Amino acid sequence: MSQLGQVIGILRKLNDEYQISTPKKLKLIDAYLVYVLLTGIIQFIYCLLVGTFPFNSFLSGFISTVGCFILAASLRIQLNTTNRSTFNVTPERAFADFVFAHIILHLVVINFIG
Amino acid sequence: MAAQVTTNQSIINDDSGSLTTDSEFQTNVNSKKRLSSSSNILPTSSILSPTGLTSLISFIVLTCAYISGFMSRLFSVIRFESIIHEFDPWFNYRSTAYMTENGFYNFLNWFDELAWYPLGRIVGGTIYPGLMVTSGVIHWFLHMINIPIHIREICVFLAPFFSGLTALATYLLTKELWSRRAGLFAAAFIAIAPGYSSRSVAGSYDNEGIAIFALMFTYFLWIRSVKTGSVFWSCCTALSYFYMVSAWGGYVFIINLIPVHVFILLVLRRYSLRLYVSYSIFYILGLILSMQIPFVGFQPVRTSEHMLAAGVFALLQAYAFIDYLYTKLPRADDLKQLFFGLMIFIGLSVFAVVVILTYAGYIAPWSGRFYSLWDTNYAKIHIPIIASVSEHQPTTWTSFFFDLHLLICLFPVGAWFCIKELNDERVFIVLYAVFASYFAGVMIRLMLTLTPCVCVLAAIALSKTLDYYADTETSDMSTSPVVPSNDNDENENETEKNNRNLYDKAGKPKPIPGRRGPTNTNQDTDDDTSIVSSNIKTVVVICIAMMLMLLAVHCTWVTSNAYSSPSIVLASYNNDGSRYIIDDFREAYYWLRKNTPERARVMSWWDYGYQIAGMGNRTVLVDNNTWNNSHIALVGKAMSSNESEAYKIMTMLDVDYVLVIFGGMIGYSGDDINKFLWMVRIAEGEHPKDIREQDYFTENGEFRVDRSGSPILLNCLMYKLCYYRFGELQTDFRSPPGFDRTRHVEIGNKNFDLQHVEEAYTTEHWIVRIYKVKKLANRLQAKNALRQVQRRKSIYSTSKKTSGQARKQGVILNKPQVKKGTKVLTRKT
């Protein structure tokens, strides 16, 4: 029980830390990430329930959610000011790369969805 | 000001990751002074700034590499003509021609009736279309700007064109890994290395020609994206990977090497956010892009070969998430153990999931082609077709040196230098070297994937060596080795050394900015305490230059002699040295094209299927695609059985013509009799009761075609078709008639007749022999010569005995009967 209490304590500490230290922009991206994750989970559960018949459609939709998640996570990483030393990009450039990658991703997804 | 900025830039680009970067920033100021003081040799910086000079020299060297790579592949075009070589390229050429005539969508949906006679072949779904699309695009573009080049010329010259681009990509890769100087060396090496040019000569219109370019370019973009962590470069890597997937089945190498690189970086605790961004984006975009190719289809989520990439992706997500949490926690240090344990747990669980899914059947196990790289005996036992291809045999030691000469000796040195000065990118090239060395040792065809890696590492080794030895402070331009240069590589070497002389003066960290003093004591590198005078350094540089000259000569000689034969046109030399062309293949295929009905079916061994379909334009039964083992086994059984059995199979398969290759008259060793045992083995795999390999050997276990050969061999269809009427031919007055020049024996079964086939055409040197399959004969010979005819009793016959007696022939009425021992009774009439 004490271990459970410890875990809960750690989680609460994490939550507080998170609320304090992340700027609003990054929280917005985090909310978007949670949304995309939920969409992906829903798609996967649907596939498990209904079956994989148009497999390419399922793959296309699922990879679209995973791709959006990854790209948003990358954007968040690049916009985070604590990571300025490892990356050498301005926020505008990060966003432009984000849009470029999304164009490629969605072109392929639409082609594959069949 | 501008000059200073650009000097900065070049320094950053050059010595990436090297330890001397900081001191170079300091010496920047000094470098400016030194540059102006070196103006005694060069004109002032208003005409030639050092960075401008280096760019110019790089451009010249790369252009020379491109041109020399292109030219050294043109031997067969100059000696023979611009023709597509070998076997596989004929199919690629035919499908490219189809695409240019009928458009791209018809090509993707093409169903080929000319191949695999009763079955046909779905071409759109069973090829890698990258090669054809590339040629098609070049063709379309040239025609659009009104340069009408025939598609055959484009196909023939595509591989040399792309080899120059490969040199550029290798330059870029090595520049990322080490420095620009090493990059120039690497470009020069890959341009002429025989390991690569063997598969990309002019006329060899095959996937590897463009695939190696795509491979190097993808690796360059990957290294770039790992170094910068930029989303843009990762997307470019994914797009280049897509091109590679469309080009060659060897893309599996990329999609396994990059995850191994990421995994090893995680193990070496070199995780960084750049790695996370670059691999995640590359994987997810690459995954969905690679599934757009119809041939690849759903394999990336369903087969074991792709599971490593997925597993590492999952592992990396978990690692990144936990790392993020780690940064958020205030007292993180005491949880390090937990973190470490958690990562191992996650890694093992991902592995377990993959294993479980494989056992459950959701994920296909390793396919035969790739499994045989791990277990080398697998193919010989289970899949004889894979084992029979000559390119799949293990590599001999000599072929390493033959294909790579000096580079294979410098290759471990370069690997060692990379390990000594390790950073994220150099882990990659070391891993590439390890895996490529293993694969090259297993299969001779995979020497091709080893060659670029060897070129890069040898360039690194040579560059580091020359960094030290070519940097002779008192040596002006005049003391650099001046040797008469005839070939491009030597030229590049010379200009490169000059480049390096200048360059090292600009960038080398120097405690004392004076340049013109005695140089002995100041020439030390970081830890080197030995003093080597400039004379010895010059001697070393001259020796290295001589070795590089030998390399260039060897590479050109190998490309010219060993790898430039079209193999569809043979050449031999007369006593006076003049060349004699043997053009039998094209002669036979053209005869087929002109003299047979258009829908005739030709049976031959699968090697020649593409050529017959391409040049003869006739339907074939089996071709080089070898996708249907049973069909090939049927053909093999027909070739191995005696004539009557074979005739049954041929009528079942609806064959009109049979084509065999026979080299006995001129001593051509690639003929069907030499391949015959593979036909037997493949047939035995499917029909073990009818065909046994042992039957075709003598009692001692030898394979002989002379009188002591096995009788089953001497009566099989292949033997008869090859040696029909050969017994009458006397090739040389010293040897008996029917002397096989390839096997060097006199054949055992001469002067026989063929029952079910008749000879249709034999080429000038008896290399290709075509037979027509006869229809069933009208009258079959009866089994018994004397027939029993059942007759019904005639209506005129009665059953009376006396009348029967009277009608019996030769009976005398009232003939006196003689009884022995009794008196003759005379009857009174």
Side-chain angles (χ1 to χ4, degrees), chain B residues 750-783:
Chain B
K750 298 192 230 190
N751 305 323
F752 51 84
D753 272 326
L754 292 171
Q755 201 185 359
H756 294 291
V757 296
E758 62 178 0
E759 188 179 0
Y761 189 70
T762 299
T763 56
E764 188 183 338
H765 304 96
W766 289 51
I767 294 188
V768 186
R769 310 196 67 180
I770 304 179
Y771 293 84
K772 186 172 166 55
V773 176
K774 292 201 279 208
K775 301 277 184 244
L776 285 170
N778 281 333
R779 267 177 37 154
L780 291 173
Q781 196 180 29
K783 284 206 187 82

Side-chain angles (χ1 to χ4, degrees), chain B residues 190-492:
Chain B
I190 190 83
I192 57 173
Y196 176 43
S197 69
S198 64
R199 307 284 310 191
S200 66
V201 287
S204 168
Y205 180 57
D206 210 353
N207 299 61
E208 286 93 350
I210 59 170
I212 299 296
F213 164 66
L215 185 84
M216 283 288 111
F217 199 59
T218 309
Y219 283 151
F220 155 65
L221 290 172
W222 166 245
I223 297 290
R224 192 67 180 248
S225 60
V226 165
K227 275 171 80 168
T228 60
S230 152
V231 172
F232 172 69
W233 287 112
S234 309
C235 293
C236 291
T237 316
L239 288 172
S240 173
Y241 172 67
F242 171 57
Y243 182 55
M244 176 73 187
V245 171
S246 74
W248 196 30
Y251 75 91
V252 176
F253 186 56
I254 297 188
I255 201 62
N256 280 313
L257 189 61
I258 290 184
V260 167
H261 177 222
V262 172
F263 183 69
I264 298 289
L265 284 182
L266 288 182
V267 166
L268 290 178
R269 311 178 91 220
R270 283 179 175 273
Y271 169 78
S272 68
L273 284 168
R274 291 177 281 117
L275 184 68
Y276 171 75
V277 167
S278 49
Y279 182 68
S280 310
I281 296 179
F282 161 71
Y283 176 70
I284 204 67
L285 282 181
L287 180 71
I288 194 167
L289 278 170
S290 65
M291 291 201 275
Q292 303 308 302
I293 307 290
F295 191 30
V296 173
F298 297 130
Q299 280 180 25
V301 290
R302 279 219 177 127
T303 56
S304 302
E305 291 112 14
H306 300 87
M307 282 301 120
L308 181 66
V312 170
F313 178 68
L315 188 67
L316 191 65
Q317 301 305 311
Y319 197 106
F321 183 60
I322 294 180
D323 193 63
Y324 172 68
L325 290 179
Y326 197 65
T327 59
K328 286 290 172 203
L329 287 175
R331 305 163 306 129
D333 292 332
D334 39 339
L335 289 175
K336 244 196 171 78
Q337 285 262 346
L338 176 67
F339 180 39
F340 193 55
L342 202 59
M343 283 320 300
I344 293 187
F345 171 69
I346 291 179
L348 287 174
S349 60
V350 165
F351 182 65
V353 164
V354 170
V355 168
I356 290 173
L357 283 177
T358 311
Y359 271 111
Y362 285 110
I363 298 179
W366 287 80
S367 76
R369 278 176 62 196
F370 296 110
Y371 186 71
S372 61
L373 291 176
W374 170 255
D375 177 10
T376 42
N377 278 330
Y378 179 76
K380 204 159 171 111
I381 304 172
H382 293 110
I383 319 176
I385 283 196
I386 294 182
S388 73
V389 181
S390 66
E391 300 174 315
H392 291 182
Q393 306 307 319
T395 325
T396 58
W397 285 105
T398 54
S399 58
F400 278 98
F401 188 76
F402 190 68
D403 275 346
L404 296 168
H405 201 249
L406 177 68
L407 305 176
I408 196 74
C409 309
L410 293 174
F411 161 66
V413 182
W416 169 243
F417 283 145
C418 281
I419 294 177
K420 220 166 70 158
E421 301 172 25
L422 200 67
N423 61 18
D424 289 350
E425 310 81 77
R426 291 178 195 164
V427 172
F428 175 75
I429 198 71
V430 169
L431 286 171
Y432 182 12
V434 167
F435 284 106
S437 316
Y438 172 69
F439 289 130
V442 170
M443 207 189 260
I444 197 169
R445 185 182 181 181
L446 296 178
M447 271 294 285
L448 180 67
T449 52
L450 178 67
T451 305
C453 178
V454 164
C455 290
V456 169
L457 287 174
I460 288 177
L462 208 55
S463 165
K464 193 167 165 77
T465 311
L466 283 176
D467 272 356
Y468 179 66
Y469 283 104
D471 180 27
T472 52
E473 240 335 37
T474 54
S475 77
D476 306 351
M477 294 306 176
S478 52
T479 60
S480 308
V482 177
V483 282
S485 58
N486 295 333
D487 49 317
N488 286 332
D489 187 70
E490 174 48 18
N491 229 345
E492 285 143 36

Side-chain angles (χ1 to χ4, degrees), chain B residues 63-109:
Chain B
T63 313
C64 288
Y66 195 114
I67 293 177
S68 65
F70 191 91
M71 292 294 181
S72 76
R73 287 162 167 81
L74 292 183
F75 280 105
S76 67
V77 171
I78 295 173
R79 286 175 187 163
F80 299 95
E81 60 185 278
S82 145
I83 187 177
I84 307 277
H85 298 180
E86 301 258 323
F87 304 114
D88 273 357
W90 275 100
F91 173 70
N92 297 333
Y93 171 60
R94 193 166 138 248
S95 40
T96 315
Y98 185 88
M99 185 174 86
T100 48
E101 282 162 38
N102 302 43
F104 179 62
Y105 281 107
N106 285 339
F107 167 69
L108 271 187
N109 295 326

Side-chain angles (χ1 to χ4, degrees), chain B residues 798-815 817:
Chain B
T798 60
S799 51
K800 280 200 199 149
K801 217 176 173 199
T802 46
S803 50
Q805 265 187 340
R807 278 173 178 74
K808 263 202 216 151
Q809 266 187 344
V811 172
I812 302 173
L813 286 170
N814 300 320
K815 184 182 169 188
Q817 304 283 336

Side-chain angles (χ1 to χ4, degrees), chain A residues 10-74:
Chain A
I10 289 179
L11 286 179
R12 197 168 292 163
K13 212 184 302 185
L14 270 174
N15 192 23
D16 292 334
E17 188 69 33
Y18 173 73
Q19 296 293 347
I20 295 170
S21 60
T22 36
K24 268 228 167 46
K25 228 192 307 189
L26 297 184
K27 279 194 193 159
L28 192 63
I29 298 181
D30 285 339
Y32 172 65
L33 281 174
V34 170
Y35 158 71
V36 169
L37 190 65
L38 284 175
T39 317
I41 293 177
I42 293 175
Q43 279 196 358
F44 193 67
I45 295 178
Y46 177 82
C47 172
L48 287 176
L49 290 174
V50 175
T52 61
F53 164 55
F55 194 48
N56 55 325
S57 312
F58 161 65
L59 270 182
S60 169
F62 188 67
I63 290 180
S64 165
T65 59
V66 178
C68 290
F69 185 86
I70 296 288
L71 287 172
S74 308

Side-chain angles (χ1 to χ4, degrees), chain B residues 598-800:
Chain B
E598 218 181 293
R599 306 193 69 92
R601 273 86 52 187
V602 180
M603 177 171 97
S604 72
W605 191 234
W606 58 262
D607 280 350
Y608 317 107
Y610 281 154
Q611 284 181 341
I612 296 174
M615 280 189 271
N617 204 27
R618 292 288 175 264
T619 314
V620 287
L621 253 58
V622 290
D623 65 17
N624 305 58
N625 193 27
T626 65
W627 66 270
N628 191 334
N629 198 28
S630 325
H631 214 54
I632 297 181
L634 263 181
V635 170
K637 184 177 171 201
M639 295 294 194
S640 331
S641 328
N642 59 22
E643 208 182 330
S644 329
E645 289 298 316
Y647 185 65
K648 288 187 200 151
I649 299 178
M650 287 197 285
T651 43
M652 180 181 82
L653 289 174
D654 233 359
V655 176
D656 292 324
Y657 290 91
V658 186
L659 188 145
V660 293
I661 306 288
F662 170 60
M665 183 172 143
I666 59 164
Y668 175 60
S669 61
D671 66 349
D672 278 353
I673 297 279
N674 279 354
K675 293 181 193 167
F676 183 61
L677 277 177
W678 283 111
M679 298 186 200
V680 171
R681 283 178 196 137
I682 293 175
E684 187 181 356
E686 295 280 329
H687 307 271
K689 294 203 188 63
D690 304 321
I691 312 277
R692 277 168 296 271
E693 192 184 338
Q694 285 309 310
D695 294 343
Y696 295 86
F697 291 109
T698 61
E699 279 117 27
N700 304 340
E702 297 173 321
F703 180 75
R704 299 173 71 116
V705 294
D706 55 6
R707 246 193 314 258
S708 53
S710 137
I712 297 186
L713 172 67
L714 261 47
N715 284 307
C716 72
L717 183 73
M718 173 59 72
Y719 183 94
K720 285 193 174 170
L721 292 183
C722 283
Y723 291 118
Y724 180 61
R725 286 193 311 116
F726 189 61
E728 306 152 16
L729 185 71
Q730 193 170 21
T731 50
D732 198 5
F733 65 90
R734 290 167 293 196
S735 45
F739 186 75
D740 185 345
R741 273 193 181 161
T742 317
R743 265 69 51 180
H744 306 294
V745 290
E746 181 187 344
I747 60 174
N749 190 6
K750 298 192 230 190
N751 305 323
F752 51 84
D753 272 326
L754 292 171
Q755 201 185 359
H756 294 291
V757 296
E758 62 178 0
E759 188 179 0
Y761 189 70
T762 299
T763 56
E764 188 183 338
H765 304 96
W766 289 51
I767 294 188
V768 186
R769 310 196 67 180
I770 304 179
Y771 293 84
K772 186 172 166 55
V773 176
K774 292 201 279 208
K775 301 277 184 244
L776 285 170
N778 281 333
R779 267 177 37 154
L780 291 173
Q781 196 180 29
K783 284 206 187 82
N784 298 330
L786 293 172
R787 301 188 305 181
Q788 305 284 5
V789 177
Q790 307 292 344
R791 279 213 181 94
R792 265 184 313 168
K793 237 167 154 18
S794 164
I795 55 172
Y796 297 110
S797 68
T798 60
S799 51
K800 280 200 199 149

